[in-house]
Amino acid sequence: MTQLILLIIEFFKIGLFAIGGGLATLPFLYDLTVTHPDWVNRSQLLDMVAVSESTPGALGVNMATYVGNIIAGPLGGVATTIGLVMPSVIIIVIVAKFLERFKDSTVVQNVFYGIRPASIGLIMAAAFVVIKEALMNIPLFQETGSFTDLFKIKSVIFGAILLICMMKFKKHPVFYIAIAAIVGNIIVF
Amino acid sequence: MKELLELYWVFCKMGAVCFGGGYAMLPIIEAEIVEKKGWAKKEEIMDYYAIGQCTPGVIAVNTSTFIGNKRAGIPGAIAATAGFVTPSIIIIMIISSLLQNFAHITFVERAFSGIRICVAVLIINATVKLWKSAVKDKTGLVICIIVFVLSAFTPLSPVIFIACSGIAGYFIGKWKGAEK
């Protein structure tokens, strides 16, 4: 029970400070792997993004449910989701009352003028962690000191091909995830 | 009560069919809420979206809350949000428990080794797109780079960066306004 309450509080904080959509929750979830290493680890977070991108629903909600489920089973999934959406509900109900004033407020505009690029900076840092996990082999590099060991060459080539395809053909993420699952079985990464 | 149930059900349906959240949800909301139900005008939805983006939380959830609140006050806001997250909770729970049971099978393991690379690329691609919409001038660029470096190489909590950059934005905006 105390763990469920702790989960609600932690995800309430995430819901309150993650601004700018689903991916904005990712840096906060990475922060969880540092502050609560017993809850979830970084490679689990990569699986979390994969599952959340390939299932219906909002990315942020799916990620929260997934993490909650890992930490404390189905009830944990419910707890993290409740925690995540609570600030939204409270803030939106308040903002809705002052909708016109909120839209035209220079204070609000100025504050978000600062927050929007900061949120991207945070997402970039999270992306950097993801890249390190998926494409680089830092322990091997530290051991051998050879730069050819720093990157997982096969993974980088496959990643580059995927990136070009994504930019060229705007297919749904599920499509690329399915291809990657097949390629993973043909070429062992 | 009937209205709350209807809100819950309509948003539950939307939660089950919208992949990717955020902007992917916009056409679905429009079709269901504006055209079919007539619960809000198109311009209102756009307003909700714009505000949903610059208020904390998941954009799709914020928009659901807005519409629910407009229809039936706070209970409506809760009903709409609860409806929207219900499919996520059920689907993710099933998949997550399946994964935990099948994760050790070689086929699944190898699939995920490929998927992880794909996820990294998906995130890179999404970040590039977000960058274009959020970093619009030199001030923004400086804030973004400072936050990126500090966040990547120090253990500071993201909360601190959001709070500080909000305060910085407030003063920079004020200062720019005074200059004009």
Side-chain angles (χ1 to χ4, degrees):
Chain A
M1 195 61 210
T2 43
Q3 194 185 29
L4 291 182
I5 293 167
L6 204 58
L7 279 177
I8 291 181
I9 295 170
E10 280 295 335
F11 278 78
F12 185 92
K13 275 202 287 190
I14 296 177
L16 189 58
F17 286 99
I19 296 167
L23 209 53
T25 55
L26 190 61
F28 292 87
L29 295 173
Y30 270 106
D31 194 45
L32 268 193
T33 63
V34 180
T35 51
H36 293 280
D38 51 319
W39 280 3
V40 62
N41 64 47
R42 288 189 167 179
S43 71
Q44 282 173 316
L45 289 190
L46 283 176
D47 301 344
M48 166 200 81
V49 179
V51 171
S52 304
E53 289 264 20
S54 43
T55 48
L59 186 59
V61 174
N62 290 353
M63 295 201 293
T65 312
Y66 190 88
V67 172
N69 211 44
I70 289 178
I71 299 167
L75 277 179
V78 175
T80 50
T81 307
I82 291 174
L84 185 79
V85 303
M86 236 198 287
S88 293
V89 174
I90 296 169
I91 289 168
I92 295 294
V93 167
I94 296 168
V95 168
K97 279 209 164 66
F98 308 101
L99 189 58
E100 295 308 315
R101 249 192 282 169
F102 184 86
K103 256 174 37 192
D104 301 330
S105 156
T106 42
V107 174
V108 172
Q109 277 168 9
N110 287 345
V111 166
F112 283 101
Y113 174 72
I115 287 183
R116 241 172 267 136
S119 188
I120 297 296
L122 287 177
I123 295 172
M124 280 163 57
F128 181 61
V129 176
V130 172
I131 292 167
K132 272 200 293 192
E133 296 282 323
L135 304 179
M136 292 162 86
N137 197 341
I138 290 168
L140 184 66
F141 171 67
Q142 279 165 343
E143 207 178 285
T144 62
S146 143
F147 276 99
T148 48
D149 287 336
L150 181 57
F151 289 94
K152 298 175 188 166
I153 302 293
K154 276 192 287 184
S155 306
V156 172
I157 294 169
F158 178 53
I161 294 170
L162 276 177
L163 186 62
I164 292 164
C165 291
M166 273 177 211
M167 287 173 160
K168 242 182 136 174
F169 318 103
K170 308 214 175 300
K171 290 248 188 305
H172 194 274
V174 183
F175 173 77
Y176 298 108
I177 289 173
I179 288 181
I182 298 165
V183 173
N185 270 287
I186 301 167
I187 310 162
V188 178
F189 288 106
Chain B
M1 195 61 210
K2 194 170 160 260
E3 179 151 31
L4 292 183
L5 280 176
E6 198 187 359
L7 271 170
Y8 178 85
W9 178 238
V10 166
F11 278 91
C12 190
K13 277 195 295 188
M14 286 199 282
V17 294
C18 95
F19 273 88
Y23 284 103
M25 199 186 153
L26 199 52
I28 297 170
I29 292 188
E30 272 184 26
E32 191 74 26
I33 302 295
V34 180
E35 279 153 35
K36 218 168 129 195
K37 295 283 175 192
W39 284 352
K41 289 193 215 72
K42 201 177 167 194
E43 297 78 58
E44 284 177 295
I45 304 279
M46 294 312 289
D47 272 359
Y48 295 161
Y49 244 72
I51 294 168
Q53 251 183 320
C54 64
T55 42
V58 180
I59 301 171
V61 170
N62 293 352
T63 311
S64 311
T65 310
F66 254 124
I67 298 164
N69 186 54
K70 188 185 177 234
R71 291 293 299 164
I74 296 171
I78 294 170
T81 305
F84 186 74
V85 301
T86 302
S88 289
I89 293 180
I90 297 170
I91 294 167
I92 297 283
M93 259 173 204
I94 296 170
I95 292 182
S96 163
S97 49
L98 284 179
L99 267 187
Q100 277 161 10
N101 290 328
F102 296 116
H104 56 276
I105 301 172
T106 324
F107 163 74
V108 179
E109 243 172 46
R110 286 185 178 164
F112 266 89
S113 71
I115 288 172
R116 282 190 198 116
I117 298 166
C118 182
V119 167
V121 179
L122 280 171
I123 292 175
I124 295 170
N125 193 31
T127 312
V128 173
K129 279 191 209 151
L130 283 173
W131 167 280
K132 284 180 193 155
S133 70
V135 181
K136 287 187 170 149
D137 55 12
K138 277 185 194 150
T139 321
L141 183 67
V142 171
I143 294 176
C144 180
I145 290 172
I146 293 174
V147 171
F148 166 68
V149 171
L150 287 179
S151 171
F153 300 105
T154 66
L156 289 173
S157 158
V159 174
I160 295 167
F161 298 116
I162 294 294
C164 290
S165 62
I167 296 166
Y170 172 74
F171 284 108
I172 293 167
K174 224 178 159 185
W175 176 63
K176 278 193 175 166
E179 225 175 34
K180 281 174 201 162

